[in-house]
């Protein structure tokens, strides 16, 4: 099985995922993914990666 990571359609400056942002948080290895519009986003620098 291969994990494919692509950049999400919005940047971290357009919406900041975090505690209280309104999206469900899911622990994923050494980071947290946020469920958003049917996607899992993870912060990666100034943008989000889709998992």
């Amino acid at each position: 099985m291969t994990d494919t990571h692509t950049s999400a359609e919005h940047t971290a400056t357009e919406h900041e995922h975090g505690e209280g942002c309104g999206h469900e948080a899911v622990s994923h290895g050494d980071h947290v993914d946020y469920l958003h519009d049917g996607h899992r986003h993870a912060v990666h620098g100034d943008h989000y990666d889709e998992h």
Side-chain angles (χ1 to χ4, degrees):
M1 181 174 166
T2 303
D3 272 343
T4 301
H5 300 271
T6 58
S7 291
E9 63 276 1
H10 62 267
T11 66
T13 57
E14 293 171 329
H15 174 79
E16 187 173 343
H17 287 302
E19 192 173 327
C21 76
H23 297 107
E24 184 178 350
V26 177
S27 228
H28 186 216
D30 64 350
H31 63 275
V32 176
D33 287 348
Y34 291 90
L35 303 180
H36 184 264
D37 293 336
H39 304 274
R40 291 186 319 166
H41 292 173
V43 175
H44 186 225
D46 65 348
H47 65 278
Y48 295 108
D49 287 345
E50 284 197 35
H51 292 192

